[in-house]
Amino acid sequence: MILKPETPPFQAKFIASIVGQELPETMARLPELAIGGRSNVGKSSLLNALCQRKELARVSKTPGRTRALNYFLVEKEDFYLVDLPGYGYAKASKEEQSQWRLVVDQYLASGEDVRGIVVLVDGVVGPSQLDIEFVEWLQDSGRKFLIAITKVDKGTQSERQKVRNLVNQLSNGAPVIATSSASGFGIEKLREAIRKLVMGVG
């Protein structure tokens, strides 16, 4: 049997935290792949797993800390992974939540270099109302996206299947990938899917 070679991890480094739409003149214009989801869904852990780096993206004990667009340059492959502000943090003020949503909406609406979005859905609690609204917005805008279910190493098999069924309904045919940053499950498959989005394949 011929084994398929492992998809190599992204060799990435942090470049900048940006508030607003204009990149600094020192940053090259490259394809961008955005990663978004609600606060505490595990975005930082997933970014670290994709790059096999423990501290590339800071994992905060307090959700909702990511308030800017955090750019990571994937070297040798010449594209950016963009960590979007998390949404739906209960302890944030309504004004803060509105500001986070505005930043994300403006980024996705005006980002000419955005090739696709990875929407993270918590594998323990399933899609929230904000997740549903985000996916519907992406569908209406015609943006390419896929959904990554996080934390699938937790919960019972029946609970995981329930979440998977809900996400499949939400995705409306978009790719759905189950992942675990802790065990590495699905991370290689997600890397491959991200590379395809960046290259405009599929």
Side-chain angles (χ1 to χ4, degrees):
M1 181 177 64
I2 300 176
L3 297 178
K4 183 179 179 180
E6 180 181 354
T7 303
F10 297 133
Q11 297 182 33
K13 65 179 180 181
F14 174 74
I15 296 296
S17 289
I18 298 173
V19 178
Q21 307 309 308
E22 296 297 325
L23 296 182
E25 293 182 359
T26 54
M27 286 181 61
R29 295 294 298 268
L30 297 171
E32 300 175 13
L33 192 290
I35 299 179
R38 73 175 185 83
S39 297
N40 206 29
V41 73
K43 285 196 288 97
S44 296
S45 295
L46 187 71
L47 276 165
N48 290 337
L50 288 168
C51 303
Q52 289 188 0
R53 295 271 302 279
K54 291 184 178 181
E55 298 181 357
L56 177 66
R58 295 179 61 185
V59 180
S60 174
K61 294 182 180 179
T62 303
R65 286 290 178 87
T66 303
R67 304 190 183 193
L69 303 171
N70 289 326
Y71 279 72
F72 299 86
L73 173 63
V74 179
E75 300 176 288
K76 298 183 179 180
E77 300 185 55
D78 292 332
F79 71 91
Y80 294 115
L81 288 171
V82 184
D83 181 13
L84 303 178
Y87 50 75
Y89 179 43
K91 292 185 179 180
S93 68
K94 290 184 178 179
E95 181 179 353
E96 286 178 311
Q97 292 186 35
S98 297
Q99 182 61 35
W100 293 340
R101 183 63 181 264
L102 180 62
V103 169
V104 173
D105 283 356
Q106 289 180 340
Y107 169 76
L108 295 178
S110 62
E112 297 178 359
D113 298 313
V114 181
R115 298 294 174 84
I117 299 93
V118 177
V119 180
L120 304 190
V121 172
D122 194 309
V124 177
V125 300
S128 68
Q129 182 59 39
L130 289 174
D131 293 327
I132 294 171
E133 292 174 4
F134 188 32
V135 169
E136 289 177 345
W137 187 89
L138 293 174
Q139 291 172 336
D140 291 342
S141 66
R143 287 285 186 185
K144 289 188 176 182
F145 71 95
L146 63 85
I147 299 178
I149 306 174
T150 63
K151 309 174 187 177
V152 297
D153 54 310
K154 300 180 180 180
T156 65
Q157 183 175 354
S158 62
E159 289 170 339
R160 291 194 295 270
Q161 187 59 52
K162 180 180 179 180
V163 170
R164 179 65 185 243
N165 291 341
L166 290 171
V167 173
N168 284 340
Q169 294 174 20
L170 175 63
S171 71
N172 195 28
V176 175
I177 300 174
T179 69
S180 166
S181 299
S183 70
F185 179 83
I187 297 300
E188 181 181 349
K189 185 176 181 180
L190 181 57
R191 284 194 203 107
E192 184 177 350
I194 287 174
R195 287 185 168 107
K196 287 182 178 179
L197 276 178
V198 170
M199 292 186 295
V201 178

